[in-house]
Amino acid sequence: MLTDHHCHILPGIDDGADCPETSISMLAMMKAQGVERVVATPHFYAHREKSVEHYLEKRQRAFEKIRNDSPIKDIRLGAEVAVERGISEIPGIEKLAFEGTSLILMELPYAEYRPWMSEEIYNISAEYGLKVIMAHIHRYLDYTKKEDMESLLSGKAILQINNEAFDTFRQRRFVKKLIKEDYPLVFGSDAHNLGKRRPDWDTALKRISAKLLEKSNNTLERYLL
Ligand SMILES: [Fe+2]
């Protein structure tokens, strides 16, 4: 079942879909590209949110706006949790895991790597028994020294790859290295809208091998609660 593990299709909750109509059009586009299951992952920035509970209520309200009209029926709720200092100690943080699973998608800051980032990721997995998925790891090539990338990769997280990674030589080469070294990978569109950041499975599907895609698509099943 082709699964999009990272996208911003819920309306009016982050910098993704601006209204239910955009959400529905994005989902229709995904469906036309072959997507059968979607994990909706609106941004969660701890410093901007009142609480995890408040975020979850907002997310549910956004979902209700599209639930009946969505052309893709299998939508799971998740979050893209920004790694901030102290994030692992926020009450209820474990509730941001993909629903029904022990998977949590975490996004590193776009800044030079610091060891506290790995510590927060480690603490979340150790304290709550969650499996961390590191969002679009290939995007950090420009911010991260080789040895720091090695520390990140050694953290036993699942690595999420945006479809767009196949569009540039450097990122593609990095993803190929991850594939060769057999890191666990999951794919996602990280779609935000109908413009520049639209669902882009059509091009990616030409580049991702069937075997790799199948592994990615089975990830939710492997981490069911
Ligand atoms: Fe994202």
Side-chain angles (χ1 to χ4, degrees):
M1 189 186 293
L2 182 56
T3 303
D4 194 330
H5 295 88
H6 180 172
C7 61
H8 301 267
I9 50 117
L10 294 186
I13 182 168
D14 61 2
D15 59 344
D18 53 356
C19 62
E21 291 70 28
T22 304
S23 302
I24 299 297
S25 300
M26 288 169 76
L27 286 157
M29 201 180 267
M30 285 177 178
K31 188 172 181 183
Q33 294 170 1
V35 176
E36 298 167 280
R37 178 165 67 175
V38 166
V39 187
T41 54
H43 288 289
F44 177 87
Y45 297 108
H47 70 278
R48 290 189 202 161
E49 298 292 338
K50 270 192 236 159
S51 64
V52 170
E53 290 305 331
H54 183 252
Y55 168 90
L56 293 175
E57 285 163 21
K58 268 194 313 189
R59 188 184 66 176
Q60 190 62 34
R61 280 199 298 275
F63 179 45
E64 298 301 341
K65 289 182 187 156
I66 59 155
R67 156 176 234 170
N68 293 333
D69 300 330
S70 172
I72 297 178
K73 291 299 165 207
D74 197 347
I75 299 180
R76 314 287 169 99
L77 299 181
E80 178 177 16
V81 182
V83 175
E84 300 182 16
R85 234 184 234 277
I87 186 78
S88 55
E89 284 159 33
I90 288 185
I93 195 75
E94 74 282 7
K95 294 181 191 157
L96 299 179
F98 292 178
E99 58 175 341
T101 78
S102 55
L103 295 163
I104 188 165
L105 180 70
M106 303 198 71
E107 176 187 41
L108 289 163
Y110 292 101
E112 199 184 332
Y113 172 80
R114 292 279 179 264
W116 66 261
M117 300 175 187
S118 291
E119 285 160 24
E120 293 293 348
I121 289 175
Y122 173 80
N123 289 345
I124 284 214
S125 60
E127 280 176 38
Y128 302 104
L130 295 175
K131 185 71 176 176
V132 171
I133 302 177
M134 268 201 279
H136 37 59
I137 186 72
H138 47 90
R139 276 207 191 163
Y140 299 93
L141 286 172
D142 293 337
Y143 303 87
T144 315
K145 293 192 207 94
K146 200 164 179 249
E147 61 269 30
D148 293 335
M149 184 55 87
E150 293 302 326
S151 333
L152 281 170
L153 295 180
S154 69
K156 302 244 186 315
I158 295 175
L159 309 174
Q160 186 262 318
I161 307 296
N162 279 6
N163 295 335
E164 93 223 354
F166 294 96
D167 295 343
T168 57
F169 174 75
R170 191 163 176 232
Q171 297 193 10
R172 188 165 60 228
R173 188 177 60 181
F174 176 65
V175 174
K176 279 188 177 164
K177 177 179 125 77
L178 298 177
I179 294 170
K180 201 169 157 216
E181 296 177 11
D182 213 18
Y183 282 96
L185 306 181
V186 294
F187 295 94
S189 64
D190 200 3
H192 278 65
N193 51 46
L194 293 164
K196 271 201 150 144
R197 303 190 73 184
R198 64 182 170 276
D200 56 355
W201 285 94
D202 40 359
T203 46
L205 287 178
K206 294 180 193 138
R207 290 165 170 166
I208 308 170
S209 77
K211 197 174 141 204
L212 206 57
L213 206 56
E214 196 190 326
K215 270 197 201 169
S216 165
N217 292 338
N218 290 336
T219 304
L220 291 185
E221 277 68 34
R222 285 206 298 280
Y223 290 91
L224 287 179
L225 289 177

